[in-house]
Amino acid sequence: MKVEIVQVWRNRYEERRLSAMVPPLTSLHLAALVPNDVEVAVRHEKVSPVDYDTDADLVALSFFTGVAARAYAHSRELRRRGKKVVMGGPHVTMLPDEAAAHADAVVVGEGEPVWRRVIEDAARGRLAPRYQGEARPLAGLPPPRYDLLEPRFAVRRVVMATRGCPYRCSFCTTAVLFPRFRTRPVEEVVRDIESLPGGNWLQRKLVWFWDDNLLVDRRYGKALLRAMVPLRKWWVTQTSLDCAEDEELLDLMRASGCAAIFIGIETLDAASLRQANKMFAPRARVARAIERLHEARIAVLGGYIVGFDGERPADVVAAAAALDDLGVDVPFLSVLTPYPGTPQRAAYERAGRLLGDRGWRWYDGYNVAFRPAAMTPAELEAAHRELWRQAFALGRAAARVVRVAQRGGPGALALAAAMNGYYGLRQLLGRIPAAPGEEENEPPVPSRSIEEVKGASEFPPRL
Ligand code: SF4
């Protein structure tokens, strides 16, 4: 028997070239759980198209909301050729009934606890229509199958240490997908970091933690970083800004080779922060955190979202300068997206503000699927594109790199230069975020929300 695990993906920019920076990790973890007598392959659509004529007997499609219709189209072609198709991932977990109409089986929740059973059932020709993957402790996962990683990914040492986030931001799916924050044993994380052979110098040097909030549990974060110090790596992750307020943690981040931290700034406006349920990250606190991270020679990758209710087009575009003033070294600029399962979506549904004629392909983080309060959807989209152009204008991108060169460590500089260069070049070549193309047979977007996440994002968070 052969199993192929496919990460479905679509380019969000105006270009056709297949490029790849960081591979997602789930498929490599799932591949490691496949029994020895079953052949396994991993494919990411970012670097290799889906092969409908694959010799695999079972194809597992994992996907986010923005590519759901694309995944359903892939499934149709695969099933037409006699393949069994199982679906999983964030969108399937949110809307299992929708996905089930397009697959032989769906995995709801986390894949690892049920994946072996799925394969055994498929081998016996007895796939169940639905498998429920409960959130279990993460100890004991085998090392990811890095050997199956397609060579075109630039970053190769991708590792997961934690899963979930204790905060409850209104737009974020993490709390819905992973109701409990969990950590992996430090020694297993270190084992994974050390288990990847080969690659060039930078690929061996750089560790990318595929986590939502790596350092939010201080005790765990410090234990992990102490174990990282002797490895002499550069590492990057996403975590909340409070990491910069713990002196000991900050020292350990620096000593263990932290090159850059992605923090979700989301918005600089107080009312929008309330809408985001992220009052713990006011502008002054963000500014102080960035300052302290810079003092530790760490670059700051700043997530920023446009489309909150108080914003007009000029406010959106003004963020290009505001983020530079704040000291963000690489901005990541998204459009507010009402993903299924989020409180933000429920609020828009109640207010009748979802755009019913826009299917899932509009839910890609770069396009507009709701009616903004103070502008039209087209104005928001145009303002986002203009913000993107201005933020990655060559002068601005180069100035950010120069700034990091003056105060950052070598890892910070390498990342800031690579990312600003990458997006600056895209901007120069006109490869900016694009509207989604047509998707055949796109399912209608359901009008009722699934159960929303409740509770405020408190600080300190409840772990
Ligand atoms: S801090 Fe908020 S946006 Fe970030 S992962 Fe947690 S819930 Fe999501």
Side-chain angles (χ1 to χ4, degrees), residues 223-289:
L224 175 65
L225 299 191
R226 275 187 208 104
M228 292 273 301
V229 172
L231 304 183
R232 301 174 66 81
K233 301 291 183 198
W234 290 342
W235 59 271
V236 187
T237 194
Q238 171 172 306
T239 199
S240 43
L241 56 83
D242 36 277
C243 69
E245 295 167 355
D246 183 317
E247 208 62 58
E248 187 188 4
L249 185 67
L250 206 52
D251 286 346
L252 280 166
M253 287 165 72
R254 183 175 177 158
S256 59
C258 181
I261 290 289
F262 180 101
I263 57 174
I265 296 167
E266 326 305 6
T267 173
L268 297 172
D269 173 69
S272 301
L273 275 178
R274 268 195 298 284
Q275 184 182 342
N277 195 25
K278 200 159 188 169
M279 286 80 81
F280 66 86
R283 186 183 189 134
R285 193 174 181 195
V286 171
R288 182 71 193 126

Side-chain angles (χ1 to χ4, degrees), residues 165 167-169 171-172 174 212-213 238 266 278 280:
C165 171
Y167 291 119
R168 295 290 178 265
C169 302
F171 55 85
C172 181
T174 298
D212 288 307
N213 202 337
Q238 171 172 306
E266 326 305 6
K278 200 159 188 169
F280 66 86

Side-chain angles (χ1 to χ4, degrees), residues 296-323:
R297 309 189 76 207
I298 295 167
V300 175
L301 319 179
Y304 191 81
I305 299 176
V306 300
F308 289 105
D309 283 355
E311 291 174 345
R312 304 184 62 83
D315 305 316
V316 170
V317 178
L323 291 171

